[in-house]
Amino acid sequence: MDTRPTLRDVAALAGVSLKTASRVVNGETGVSSAKVDSVRRAVGRLNYRPNFTASMLRRSASRTAAIGAVLEDVANPFSSTLHRALEDTARGRQVMIFAGSVDEDPDREQALVTAFTARQADALFVVPASDDQTYLAAEIAAGTPVVFVDRPPVGVRADAVLSDNTAGAATAVRHLIAHGHRDIAYLGDLATITTAEQRFRGYREALAEHGIRPDPAHIVHDLHTEDAARQAALRLAGTAQPPTAYFTAQNLVTIGTIRALRSLGAHERVGLVGFDDFPLADLLQPAVTVMAQDPYRMGRAAAELIFRRLDGETWEPTTHVVPTVLIPRGSGEIPGPH
Amino acid sequence: MDTRPTLRDVAALAGVSLKTASRVVNGETGVSSAKVDSVRRAVGRLNYRPNFTASMLRRSASRTAAIGAVLEDVANPFSSTLHRALEDTARGRQVMIFAGSVDEDPDREQALVTAFTARQADALFVVPASDDQTYLAAEIAAGTPVVFVDRPPVGVRADAVLSDNTAGAATAVRHLIAHGHRDIAYLGDLATITTAEQRFRGYREALAEHGIRPDPAHIVHDLHTEDAARQAALRLAGTAQPPTAYFTAQNLVTIGTIRALRSLGAHERVGLVGFDDFPLADLLQPAVTVMAQDPYRMGRAAAELIFRRLDGETWEPTTHVVPTVLIPRGSGEIPGPH
DNA sequence: CATCGGCCTGACAACGTTGTCGAAATTGGA
DNA sequence: TCCAATTTCGACAACGTTGTCAGGCCGATG
């Protein structure tokens, strides 16, 4: 009742040897049809299911048909779209996905990777949170495909699939400048995150191109929740010289900022471009202009790199950049004073 | 290079027996500190990681510390919140989550369950898509904890965590009636899904209480995508006698309906209550009144049932109902003609 | 000096499965 | 009838790990 039947039980019930039962279960040829039948019956009677892990252990050095996905937060739309893309690619190959959330905690990143490798995951799909992945060097050297997604690896050479953060951010900010804004605030995620840093760089570059020196008081980093962003935006908008436009460098930050502007009744007056699209952005009033990433395409690309490596292809680690695209919807086209 | 070091390699390098190496790796007592050191060094040199599956196999009948989650769609906010709740509960116990999307495909449900049990998942967290789970009977009888979430099991007795669909739907519809509506349309998901059926029942019950006979032309089932819902709503709203209010029984249906009403400019005139909350519902114009489920709480409750069973507690299968709550935000308070 | 008890250590078997290989059973042909 | 070729079958070992158990070593005790 508490222990599952093994192949030994099946063989005993069918009156054949262990090996013959194994042959039937694996559909090998060279078994008389009488024995095939009796084994099949025994399998049905006992509701036998092969122990996949034991099987993989024996077929040794082979695959567990499982991939570990180290994500930022499985419940965040960006992460879950990556997850879904990976799953869709894996589905045709009968590969299962282990998924876990890191929540920007470096220790948790390593704990998850360790848990996945201890379970012999065939490959790793990693959105890194820490600033050092040297701990993965041995794993990569041992031949496990590892793909970094959204953020590049540090300390190891491995495939990566990234968004064009710097250029995308610059495009967003140029768009606001083109609509007459000069005093453009930057609200961004934790400065430790590479993508946040790159987007900030794009922001500065675009301003510099036009000889604009940003007001340091209008630059806020380390906003990791919607509410932190809301409060920061409230603070900025409440000053005597509020910014005429906002570049919000992450989707939760964008939403928090919108809430703040709404509550002040300023949402129809100030410009806003967000980095990363989000559901219903087009239904808000005004609709939100964004630099859209394409997380599904990123996930798909990363999954393909993984499977090509699993299929035995080899190449020098490459970085694949997925372009971002500006989607003008209204909030970014509100004119500024210039 | 291609094969990972085993404990045998560690033992050889450290000049000790396999068993002694095992003892060191597992932190057992009774090993001289000299040997502990040399084994530790060998582990470091080879970057040895224990093979968790082999270890679990040997410790036999024991746990793999992995739970399989059969979800509707990992990228859907409802599913991903369930996933996250499960993960949060599992995290403290070092248990990993296998997750997969079913997409309402009954075959896929069974394929996922089979994949998870073949990998010796300790327990299953299932949002069922099919109308028959008898195939799980043997697994449950064998003692594997299985919890059904959002939809009840059919053909087997097992724990379930459900939303209060019928009562919630009735409350939503009564709310519209109280605001003066009589001609209330029902737009719902696939009629094969139990939750859709229950919500439809709640809709009819609430109308019946007030002696209202719904117009059959204003009842549309089987809307499984946002766009299908949008088109259905466009059709209804374009007739000579359009409904004065809508009860939309699922979040994508709600959003599709909102898009349709917007495009007709009717969104400020007709009543709307959606079942299941969604992000930014409060920022739309008008803000959307919903019957909110609490997927995080549902996932948490289901996870707790799983872990209590894994801890050895036993009880007769129970059904846990998580209440839904009406959140009036505007769209449901638009007055009707009565 | 012989004996005892405690501490370390390693040989062996086993978890559930499959690859190898040789033995047994069957078939066909002369 | 007999031999060889073929088919079918099962004993055994192995995958990487850990539980069991017996043996070796040590100092302490009588």
Side-chain angles (χ1 to χ4, degrees), chain A residues 59-263:
Chain A
R59 298 192 224 253
S60 172
S62 185
R63 303 281 161 72
T64 56
I67 292 177
V70 177
L71 303 169
E72 216 294 274
D73 171 5
V74 295
N76 172 299
F78 183 81
S79 297
S80 67
T81 304
L82 290 176
H83 183 183
R84 181 64 205 233
L86 173 61
E87 188 196 350
D88 286 350
T89 316
R91 185 181 295 197
R93 326 196 28 154
Q94 316 273 51
V95 170
M96 295 289 101
I97 310 295
F98 273 118
S101 305
V102 162
D103 294 323
E104 302 297 352
D105 175 350
D107 296 337
R108 172 82 181 148
E109 172 192 324
Q110 197 165 346
L112 272 175
V113 166
T114 305
F116 293 154
T117 57
R119 284 176 176 76
Q120 316 296 113
D122 293 334
L124 294 174
F125 178 109
V126 182
V127 179
S130 75
D131 56 359
D132 180 18
Q133 281 79 42
T134 34
Y135 67 92
L136 266 167
E139 196 64 32
I140 293 170
T144 304
V146 177
V147 178
F148 289 86
V149 185
D150 190 43
R151 306 169 191 176
V154 181
V156 291
R157 285 167 33 80
D159 290 330
V161 175
L162 310 175
S163 262
D164 195 1
N165 288 292
T166 308
T171 302
V173 173
R174 271 186 221 114
H175 186 75
L176 287 168
I177 294 172
H179 283 82
H181 294 280
R182 292 290 177 275
D183 186 355
I184 302 171
Y186 170 91
L187 300 186
D189 204 341
L190 298 175
T192 54
I193 304 173
T194 358
T195 52
E197 187 207 316
Q198 292 172 343
R199 292 170 197 172
F200 183 54
R201 180 164 356 130
Y203 162 82
R204 278 181 314 176
E205 284 177 10
L207 291 183
E209 284 167 15
H210 291 79
I212 302 171
R213 190 112 40 96
D215 178 347
H218 291 176
I219 292 175
V220 189
H221 293 282
D222 300 329
L223 302 170
H224 192 55
T225 63
E226 196 178 301
D227 204 56
R230 190 179 60 80
Q231 291 177 21
L234 274 180
R235 252 195 330 275
L236 289 199
T239 55
Q241 291 274 326
T244 69
Y246 293 78
F247 170 57
T248 51
Q250 194 252 16
N251 58 17
L252 293 183
V253 175
T254 304
I255 294 170
T257 303
I258 291 170
R259 288 191 186 282
L261 296 177
R262 285 263 178 149
S263 64

Side-chain angles (χ1 to χ4, degrees), chain B residues 7 19 22 48 58:
Chain B
L7 204 48
K19 179 64 209 191
S22 164
Y48 167 78
R58 182 54 178 91

Side-chain angles (χ1 to χ4, degrees), chain B:
Chain B
M1 137 96 174
D2 214 21
T3 80
R4 301 161 52 120
T6 75
L7 204 48
R8 170 171 277 106
D9 302 322
V10 171
L13 181 60
V16 300
S17 80
L18 190 55
K19 179 64 209 191
T20 297
S22 164
R23 274 192 263 259
V24 174
V25 167
N26 286 56
E28 292 176 32
T29 60
V31 181
S32 69
S33 56
K35 302 216 172 192
V36 170
D37 281 355
S38 90
V39 170
R40 289 257 167 77
R41 261 197 302 278
V43 165
R45 284 259 298 281
L46 297 175
N47 198 261
Y48 167 78
R49 305 264 165 233
N51 182 328
F52 188 77
T53 60
S55 169
M56 281 305 152
L57 176 60
R58 182 54 178 91
R59 297 193 225 252
S60 173
S62 186
R63 302 281 163 70
T64 55
I67 291 177
V70 178
L71 302 169
E72 217 293 273
D73 172 6
V74 295
N76 172 298
F78 183 82
S79 297
S80 66
T81 304
L82 289 177
H83 183 182
R84 181 64 206 230
L86 173 61
E87 187 197 350
D88 286 349
T89 316
R91 186 182 295 197
R93 328 196 27 154
Q94 317 273 48
V95 169
M96 295 289 102
I97 311 294
F98 273 119
S101 304
V102 162
D103 295 323
E104 302 297 350
D105 174 352
D107 295 337
R108 173 81 181 149
E109 172 192 326
Q110 196 164 347
L112 272 176
V113 166
T114 305
F116 293 153
T117 56
R119 284 175 176 75
Q120 316 297 111
D122 293 335
L124 295 174
F125 178 109
V126 182
V127 179
S130 75
D131 56 359
D132 181 18
Q133 282 79 41
T134 36
Y135 68 92
L136 266 167
E139 195 66 30
I140 294 170
T144 305
V146 177
V147 179
F148 289 86
V149 185
D150 189 45
R151 307 169 190 177
V154 180
V156 292
R157 283 168 33 78
D159 290 330
V161 176
L162 310 175
S163 262
D164 196 1
N165 289 293
T166 308
T171 303
V173 173
R174 271 186 222 113
H175 186 75
L176 287 168
I177 293 171
H179 283 82
H181 295 279
R182 292 290 178 275
D183 187 356
I184 302 171
Y186 170 93
L187 300 186
D189 203 342
L190 299 174
T192 53
I193 304 174
T194 358
T195 54
E197 187 207 315
Q198 292 172 344
R199 293 170 197 171
F200 183 54
R201 183 166 351 130
Y203 163 81
R204 279 181 314 176
E205 284 176 11
L207 292 183
E209 284 166 16
H210 291 79
I212 302 171
R213 191 112 41 96
D215 179 347
H218 291 175
I219 292 175
V220 188
H221 293 284
D222 300 329
L223 301 170
H224 193 53
T225 64
E226 197 178 301
D227 203 56
R230 189 179 60 80
Q231 292 178 21
L234 274 180
R235 251 194 332 273
L236 289 199
T239 55
Q241 291 274 324
T244 68
Y246 293 77
F247 170 58
T248 51
Q250 196 253 15
N251 58 18
L252 294 183
V253 174
T254 304
I255 294 170
T257 302
I258 290 169
R259 289 193 186 281
L261 296 177
R262 286 264 177 147
S263 65
L264 296 171
H267 55 297
E268 309 269 12
R269 284 198 313 271
V270 301
L272 174 72
V273 179
F275 201 102
D276 199 12
D277 202 3
F278 56 94
L280 302 188
D282 60 321
L283 284 187
L284 297 184
Q285 202 67 269
V288 185
T289 297
V290 297
M291 283 306 301
Q293 306 189 76
D294 192 341
Y296 193 87
R297 190 165 149 202
M298 293 172 73
R300 175 68 85 168
E304 274 160 10
L305 291 173
I306 284 177
F307 285 111
R308 281 170 49 203
R309 285 212 191 264
L310 285 175
D311 287 343
E313 264 188 77
T314 57
W315 61 85
E316 283 296 294
T318 57
T319 296
H320 192 102
V321 175
V322 175
T324 52
V325 49
L326 181 80
I327 306 183
R329 291 197 181 111
S331 74
E333 293 73 41
I334 293 175
H338 300 273

